[in-house]
Coordinates of all heavy atoms in Angstrom, one line a residue:
M1 N 23.6 -23.4 31.3 CA 24.2 -22.6 30.3 C 23.5 -22.8 28.9 O 23.3 -21.9 28.2 CB 25.7 -22.9 30.2 CG 26.4 -22.0 29.2 SD 26.6 -20.4 30.0 CE 27.5 -19.6 28.7
T2 N 23.1 -24.1 28.7 CA 22.4 -24.4 27.5 C 21.1 -23.7 27.4 O 20.7 -23.2 26.3 CB 22.2 -25.9 27.4 OG1 23.5 -26.6 27.5 CG2 21.6 -26.3 26.0
R3 N 20.4 -23.7 28.5 CA 19.1 -23.0 28.6 C 19.2 -21.5 28.3 O 18.4 -20.9 27.6 CB 18.4 -23.2 29.9 CG 18.0 -24.6 30.1 CD 17.6 -24.8 31.5 NE 16.2 -24.5 31.7 CZ 15.6 -24.5 32.9 NH1 16.2 -24.8 34.0 NH2 14.3 -24.2 33.0
L4 N 20.3 -20.9 28.8 CA 20.5 -19.5 28.5 C 20.8 -19.2 27.0 O 20.3 -18.3 26.4 CB 21.7 -19.0 29.4 CG 22.1 -17.5 29.2 CD1 21.0 -16.7 29.7 CD2 23.4 -17.2 30.0
L5 N 21.6 -20.1 26.4 CA 22.0 -20.0 25.0 C 20.7 -20.2 24.1 O 20.5 -19.5 23.1 CB 23.1 -20.9 24.6 CG 24.5 -20.6 25.2 CD1 25.4 -21.7 24.8 CD2 24.9 -19.3 24.7
L6 N 19.9 -21.2 24.5 CA 18.6 -21.4 23.8 C 17.7 -20.2 23.9 O 17.0 -19.8 22.9 CB 18.0 -22.7 24.2 CG 18.6 -24.0 23.7 CD1 17.9 -25.2 24.3 CD2 18.5 -24.0 22.2
A7 N 17.6 -19.6 25.1 CA 16.7 -18.5 25.3 C 17.3 -17.3 24.5 O 16.5 -16.6 23.8 CB 16.7 -18.1 26.8
L8 N 18.6 -17.1 24.5 CA 19.2 -16.0 23.7 C 18.9 -16.2 22.2 O 18.6 -15.3 21.5 CB 20.7 -15.9 24.0 CG 21.4 -14.8 23.4 CD1 20.8 -13.4 23.8 CD2 22.9 -14.9 23.7
A9 N 19.1 -17.5 21.7 CA 18.8 -17.8 20.3 C 17.3 -17.5 20.0 O 17.0 -17.0 18.9 CB 19.2 -19.2 20.0
G10 N 16.5 -17.9 20.9 CA 15.0 -17.7 20.7 C 14.7 -16.2 20.6 O 13.9 -15.8 19.7
V11 N 15.3 -15.4 21.4 CA 15.1 -13.9 21.4 C 15.6 -13.3 20.1 O 14.9 -12.5 19.5 CB 15.7 -13.2 22.6 CG1 15.7 -11.7 22.5 CG2 15.0 -13.6 23.9
I12 N 16.8 -13.8 19.7 CA 17.3 -13.3 18.4 C 16.5 -13.7 17.2 O 16.2 -12.9 16.3 CB 18.8 -13.8 18.3 CG1 19.7 -13.1 19.3 CG2 19.3 -13.5 16.9 CD1 21.1 -13.6 19.4
L13 N 16.0 -15.0 17.2 CA 15.1 -15.4 16.2 C 13.8 -14.6 16.1 O 13.3 -14.3 15.1 CB 14.9 -16.9 16.3 CG 16.0 -17.8 15.8 CD1 15.7 -19.2 16.1 CD2 16.3 -17.6 14.4
L14 N 13.3 -14.3 17.3 CA 12.0 -13.6 17.4 C 12.3 -12.1 16.8 O 11.4 -11.6 16.1 CB 11.5 -13.5 18.8 CG 10.7 -14.8 19.2 CD1 10.3 -14.7 20.7 CD2 9.5 -15.0 18.3
A15 N 13.4 -11.6 17.2 CA 13.7 -10.2 16.7 C 13.9 -10.2 15.2 O 13.4 -9.3 14.5 CB 15.0 -9.7 17.4
V16 N 14.6 -11.2 14.7 CA 14.7 -11.3 13.2 C 13.4 -11.5 12.5 O 13.1 -10.9 11.5 CB 15.8 -12.4 12.9 CG1 15.7 -12.7 11.4 CG2 17.1 -12.0 13.3
L17 N 12.6 -12.3 13.1 CA 11.2 -12.6 12.5 C 10.4 -11.3 12.5 O 9.7 -10.9 11.6 CB 10.5 -13.7 13.3 CG 9.1 -14.0 12.8 CD1 9.2 -14.6 11.4 CD2 8.5 -15.0 13.8
A18 N 10.4 -10.6 13.7 CA 9.7 -9.3 13.8 C 10.2 -8.3 12.7 O 9.4 -7.6 12.1 CB 9.8 -8.8 15.2
L19 N 11.5 -8.2 12.6 CA 12.0 -7.2 11.6 C 11.7 -7.6 10.2 O 11.4 -6.8 9.4 CB 13.6 -7.1 11.8 CG 14.0 -6.3 13.0 CD1 15.6 -6.4 13.1 CD2 13.6 -4.9 12.9
S20 N 11.7 -8.9 9.9 CA 11.3 -9.4 8.6 C 9.9 -9.1 8.3 O 9.5 -8.8 7.2 CB 11.7 -10.8 8.4 OG 10.9 -11.6 9.2
L21 N 9.0 -9.3 9.3 CA 7.6 -9.0 9.1 C 7.3 -7.5 8.9 O 6.5 -7.1 8.1 CB 6.8 -9.5 10.3 CG 6.6 -11.0 10.4 CD1 5.8 -11.4 11.6 CD2 5.9 -11.5 9.1
V22 N 8.1 -6.6 9.6 CA 8.0 -5.2 9.4 C 8.4 -4.8 8.0 O 7.8 -4.0 7.3 CB 8.8 -4.4 10.5 CG1 8.9 -3.0 10.1 CG2 8.1 -4.6 11.8
W23 N 9.6 -5.4 7.5 CA 10.1 -5.2 6.2 C 9.0 -5.6 5.1 O 8.8 -4.9 4.1 CB 11.4 -5.9 6.0 CG 11.9 -5.8 4.6 CD1 12.6 -4.8 4.0 CD2 11.7 -6.8 3.5 NE1 12.9 -5.0 2.7 CE2 12.4 -6.2 2.4 CE3 11.1 -8.0 3.4 CZ2 12.4 -6.9 1.2 CZ3 11.1 -8.7 2.2 CH2 11.8 -8.1 1.1
L24 N 8.4 -6.8 5.3 CA 7.5 -7.3 4.4 C 6.2 -6.4 4.3 O 5.7 -6.1 3.3 CB 7.1 -8.7 4.8 CG 6.1 -9.5 3.8 CD1 6.7 -9.6 2.5 CD2 5.7 -10.8 4.4
A25 N 5.8 -6.0 5.5 CA 4.6 -5.0 5.5 C 5.0 -3.7 4.8 O 4.1 -3.2 4.0 CB 4.2 -4.7 7.0
G26 N 6.2 -3.3 4.9 CA 6.6 -2.1 4.2 C 6.6 -2.3 2.7 O 6.2 -1.4 1.9
Q27 N 7.1 -3.5 2.3 CA 7.1 -3.8 0.8 C 5.7 -3.8 0.3 O 5.4 -3.4 -0.8 CB 7.8 -5.1 0.6 CG 9.3 -5.1 0.9 CD 10.0 -4.1 0.1 OE1 9.9 -4.1 -1.2 NE2 10.8 -3.2 0.7
V28 N 4.8 -4.4 1.0 CA 3.4 -4.5 0.6 C 2.8 -3.2 0.5 O 2.1 -2.8 -0.5 CB 2.6 -5.4 1.5 CG1 1.1 -5.3 1.3 CG2 3.0 -6.9 1.4
L29 N 3.0 -2.3 1.5 CA 2.5 -0.9 1.4 C 3.1 -0.1 0.3 O 2.4 0.7 -0.3 CB 2.7 -0.3 2.8 CG 1.8 -0.8 3.9 CD1 2.2 -0.1 5.2 CD2 0.4 -0.6 3.6
V30 N 4.3 -0.3 0.0 CA 4.9 0.4 -1.1 C 4.3 0.0 -2.4 O 4.0 0.8 -3.3 CB 6.5 0.2 -1.1 CG1 7.1 0.6 -2.5 CG2 7.1 1.0 0.0
G31 N 4.1 -1.3 -2.6 CA 3.4 -1.8 -3.8 C 2.0 -1.3 -3.9 O 1.6 -0.9 -5.0
L32 N 1.3 -1.3 -2.8 CA -0.1 -0.8 -2.8 C -0.1 0.6 -3.1 O -1.0 1.1 -3.9 CB -0.7 -1.1 -1.5 CG -2.2 -0.8 -1.3 CD1 -3.0 -1.6 -2.3 CD2 -2.7 -1.0 0.1
G33 N 0.8 1.4 -2.6 CA 0.9 2.8 -2.9 C 1.2 3.1 -4.3 O 0.6 4.0 -5.0
S34 N 2.1 2.3 -4.9 CA 2.4 2.5 -6.3 C 1.2 2.2 -7.2 O 1.0 2.9 -8.2 CB 3.6 1.6 -6.7 OG 4.7 1.9 -6.0
F35 N 0.5 1.1 -6.8 CA -0.7 0.8 -7.6 C -1.7 1.9 -7.5 O -2.4 2.2 -8.5 CB -1.3 -0.5 -7.0 CG -2.5 -0.9 -7.7 CD1 -2.5 -1.4 -9.0 CD2 -3.7 -0.8 -7.0 CE1 -3.7 -1.8 -9.6 CE2 -4.9 -1.2 -7.6 CZ -4.9 -1.7 -8.9
I36 N -1.9 2.4 -6.3 CA -3.0 3.5 -6.2 C -2.6 4.7 -6.9 O -3.4 5.4 -7.6 CB -3.2 3.8 -4.7 CG1 -3.9 2.6 -4.0 CG2 -4.0 5.1 -4.4 CD1 -4.0 2.7 -2.5
V37 N -1.3 5.1 -6.9 CA -0.8 6.3 -7.6 C -0.9 6.1 -9.1 O -1.4 7.0 -9.8 CB 0.6 6.7 -7.2 CG1 1.2 7.7 -8.1 CG2 0.6 7.2 -5.7
G38 N -0.6 4.9 -9.6 CA -0.7 4.6 -11.0 C -2.1 4.6 -11.5 O -2.5 5.2 -12.5
T39 N -3.0 4.1 -10.7 CA -4.4 4.1 -11.0 C -5.0 5.5 -11.0 O -5.8 5.8 -11.9 CB -5.2 3.2 -10.0 OG1 -4.7 1.9 -10.0 CG2 -6.7 3.1 -10.3
A40 N -4.6 6.3 -10.1 CA -5.1 7.7 -10.0 C -4.6 8.4 -11.3 O -5.3 9.2 -11.9 CB -4.6 8.4 -8.8
G41 N -3.3 8.2 -11.7 CA -2.8 8.8 -12.9 C -3.6 8.4 -14.1 O -4.0 9.2 -15.0
V42 N -3.9 7.1 -14.3 CA -4.6 6.6 -15.4 C -6.0 7.2 -15.4 O -6.6 7.7 -16.4 CB -4.7 5.1 -15.4 CG1 -5.7 4.6 -16.4 CG2 -3.3 4.5 -15.7
L43 N -6.7 7.2 -14.3 CA -8.1 7.7 -14.2 C -8.1 9.2 -14.4 O -9.0 9.8 -15.0 CB -8.7 7.4 -12.8 CG -9.0 5.9 -12.6 CD1 -9.6 5.7 -11.2 CD2 -10.0 5.5 -13.6
G44 N -7.0 10.0 -14.0 CA -7.0 11.4 -14.3 C -6.9 11.7 -15.8 O -7.5 12.6 -16.3
R45 N -6.0 10.9 -16.4 CA -5.9 11.1 -17.9 C -7.2 10.7 -18.6 O -7.5 11.3 -19.6 CB -4.7 10.3 -18.4 CG -3.4 10.9 -18.0 CD -2.2 10.2 -18.8 NE -1.0 10.8 -18.4 CZ -0.4 11.8 -19.0 NH1 -1.0 12.4 -20.0 NH2 0.8 12.2 -18.6
L46 N -7.8 9.6 -18.1 CA -9.1 9.2 -18.7 C -10.1 10.3 -18.6 O -10.9 10.6 -19.5 CB -9.5 7.9 -18.1 CG -10.9 7.4 -18.6 CD1 -10.8 7.0 -20.1 CD2 -11.3 6.2 -17.8
L47 N -10.2 10.9 -17.4 CA -11.1 12.0 -17.2 C -10.9 13.2 -18.1 O -11.8 13.7 -18.7 CB -11.1 12.5 -15.7 CG -12.0 13.6 -15.3 CD1 -13.4 13.2 -15.5 CD2 -11.7 14.1 -13.9
G48 N -9.6 13.5 -18.3 CA -9.3 14.6 -19.3 C -9.7 14.2 -20.7 O -10.2 15.1 -21.4
Y49 N -9.4 13.0 -21.1 CA -9.8 12.5 -22.4 C -11.3 12.6 -22.6 O -11.8 13.0 -23.6 CB -9.3 11.1 -22.6 CG -9.8 10.5 -23.9 CD1 -9.3 10.8 -25.1 CD2 -10.8 9.5 -23.8 CE1 -9.8 10.2 -26.3 CE2 -11.3 8.9 -25.0 CZ -10.8 9.3 -26.2 OH -11.3 8.7 -27.3
L50 N -12.1 12.1 -21.6 CA -13.5 12.1 -21.7 C -14.1 13.5 -21.7 O -15.0 13.8 -22.4 CB -14.1 11.3 -20.5 CG -13.9 9.8 -20.6 CD1 -14.5 9.1 -19.3 CD2 -14.5 9.2 -21.8
L51 N -13.5 14.4 -21.0 CA -14.0 15.8 -21.0 C -13.7 16.4 -22.4 O -14.5 17.1 -23.0 CB -13.3 16.6 -19.9 CG -13.8 16.4 -18.5 CD1 -12.9 17.2 -17.5 CD2 -15.2 16.8 -18.3
G52 N -12.5 16.2 -22.9 CA -12.2 16.7 -24.2 C -13.0 16.1 -25.3 O -13.5 16.8 -26.2
T53 N -13.2 14.8 -25.2 CA -14.1 14.2 -26.2 C -15.5 14.6 -26.1 O -16.2 14.8 -27.1 CB -14.0 12.6 -26.0 OG1 -12.7 12.2 -26.1 CG2 -14.8 11.9 -27.1
G54 N -16.0 14.8 -24.9 CA -17.4 15.3 -24.7 C -17.6 16.7 -25.3 O -18.6 17.0 -25.9
L55 N -16.5 17.5 -25.1 CA -16.6 18.9 -25.6 C -16.6 18.9 -27.1 O -17.4 19.6 -27.7 CB -15.4 19.7 -25.1 CG -15.3 21.2 -25.5 CD1 -16.5 22.0 -24.8 CD2 -14.0 21.8 -25.1
L56 N -15.7 18.1 -27.7 CA -15.7 18.1 -29.2 C -16.9 17.4 -29.8 O -17.4 17.9 -30.8 CB -14.4 17.3 -29.6 CG -13.1 18.1 -29.4 CD1 -11.9 17.2 -29.8 CD2 -13.1 19.4 -30.1
A57 N -17.5 16.4 -29.1 CA -18.7 15.8 -29.6 C -19.9 16.7 -29.5 O -20.7 16.8 -30.4 CB -19.0 14.5 -28.8
G58 N -19.9 17.5 -28.4 CA -21.0 18.5 -28.2 C -20.9 19.6 -29.3 O -21.9 20.0 -29.9
L59 N -19.7 20.0 -29.6 CA -19.5 21.0 -30.6 C -19.9 20.4 -32.0 O -20.6 21.1 -32.8 CB -18.0 21.4 -30.7 CG -17.7 22.5 -31.7 CD1 -18.4 23.8 -31.4 CD2 -16.2 22.7 -31.7
A60 N -19.5 19.2 -32.3 CA -19.9 18.6 -33.5 C -21.4 18.4 -33.6 O -22.0 18.7 -34.7 CB -19.2 17.2 -33.7
Y61 N -22.1 18.0 -32.6 CA -23.5 17.9 -32.6 C -24.2 19.2 -32.8 O -25.2 19.3 -33.5 CB -24.0 17.3 -31.2 CG -25.5 17.1 -31.1 CD1 -26.1 16.1 -31.8 CD2 -26.2 18.0 -30.3 CE1 -27.5 16.0 -31.7 CE2 -27.6 17.8 -30.2 CZ -28.2 16.8 -30.9 OH -29.6 16.7 -30.8
F62 N -23.7 20.3 -32.1 CA -24.3 21.6 -32.3 C -24.1 22.1 -33.7 O -25.1 22.6 -34.3 CB -23.6 22.6 -31.3 CG -24.0 24.0 -31.5 CD1 -25.2 24.4 -31.0 CD2 -23.2 24.9 -32.1 CE1 -25.6 25.7 -31.2 CE2 -23.5 26.2 -32.3 CZ -24.8 26.6 -31.8
L63 N -22.9 21.9 -34.3 CA -22.7 22.4 -35.7 C -23.5 21.6 -36.6 O -24.1 22.1 -37.6 CB -21.2 22.3 -36.0 CG -20.3 23.3 -35.3 CD1 -18.9 23.0 -35.7 CD2 -20.7 24.7 -35.6
A64 N -23.7 20.2 -36.4 CA -24.5 19.4 -37.3 C -25.9 19.7 -37.2 O -26.7 19.7 -38.2 CB -24.2 17.9 -37.0
S65 N -26.4 20.1 -36.0 CA -27.8 20.4 -35.9 C -28.1 21.8 -36.3 O -29.2 22.1 -36.7 CB -28.3 20.2 -34.5 OG -27.6 21.1 -33.6
A66 N -27.1 22.7 -36.3 CA -27.3 24.1 -36.7 C -27.3 24.2 -38.2 O -28.0 25.1 -38.8 CB -26.3 25.0 -36.1
W67 N -26.5 23.4 -38.9 CA -26.4 23.5 -40.4 C -27.3 22.5 -41.0 O -27.1 21.3 -41.1 CB -25.0 23.2 -40.8 CG -24.8 23.3 -42.3 CD1 -24.7 24.4 -43.0 CD2 -24.6 22.2 -43.2 NE1 -24.6 24.1 -44.3 CE2 -24.5 22.8 -44.5 CE3 -24.6 20.8 -43.0 CZ2 -24.4 22.0 -45.6 CZ3 -24.5 20.1 -44.2 CH2 -24.3 20.6 -45.4
R68 N -28.5 23.0 -41.4 CA -29.5 22.2 -42.1 C -30.0 23.0 -43.3 O -30.1 24.2 -43.3 CB -30.7 21.9 -41.2 CG -30.3 21.0 -40.1 CD -31.6 20.6 -39.3 NE -31.2 19.7 -38.2 CZ -32.0 19.5 -37.2 NH1 -33.2 20.0 -37.2 NH2 -31.6 18.6 -36.3
P69 N -30.2 22.3 -44.4 CA -30.7 23.0 -45.6 C -32.1 23.5 -45.3 O -32.8 22.8 -44.5 CB -30.6 22.0 -46.7 CG -30.4 20.7 -46.0 CD -29.9 20.9 -44.7
T70 N -32.5 24.5 -46.0 CA -33.9 25.0 -45.8 C -34.9 24.0 -46.4 O -34.5 23.3 -47.4 CB -34.1 26.4 -46.4 OG1 -33.7 26.3 -47.8 CG2 -33.2 27.4 -45.8
K71 N -36.1 24.0 -46.0 CA -37.0 22.9 -46.4 C -37.6 23.2 -47.8 O -37.8 22.2 -48.5 CB -38.2 22.9 -45.4 CG -37.7 22.5 -44.0 CD -38.7 21.7 -43.3 CE -38.0 21.3 -42.0 NZ -38.4 20.1 -41.4
G72 N -37.7 24.4 -48.2 CA -38.4 24.6 -49.5 C -37.3 24.9 -50.6 O -37.7 25.3 -51.6
A73 N -36.1 24.7 -50.3 CA -35.1 25.0 -51.3 C -35.1 24.0 -52.5 O -35.3 22.8 -52.3 CB -33.7 25.1 -50.7
R74 N -34.9 24.6 -53.7 CA -34.8 23.7 -54.9 C -33.3 23.6 -55.3 O -32.7 24.7 -55.4 CB -35.6 24.2 -56.0 CG -37.0 24.2 -55.7 CD -37.8 24.7 -56.9 NE -39.2 24.9 -56.5 CZ -40.1 25.3 -57.3 NH1 -39.9 25.6 -58.5 NH2 -41.4 25.4 -56.8
P75 N -32.9 22.5 -55.7 CA -31.5 22.4 -56.1 C -31.3 22.9 -57.5 O -32.1 23.1 -58.3 CB -31.1 20.9 -56.1 CG -32.4 20.2 -55.9 CD -33.5 21.2 -55.5

């Protein structure tokens, strides 16, 4: 009878261990997913910022190079 109870306790402990490992793997995957989604959001906003900054810098460069005083003008 003792062997049967020990075997039953072993099976229950293995089941609890397996369930806890599945839960832990789920927690790790949720954390990893949150990190990936957060990183994608930050990189998306950075890309928008860089595109806007590049557009404004290009416009400023164009306007600065287009507006030049004439070479022979006297003040």
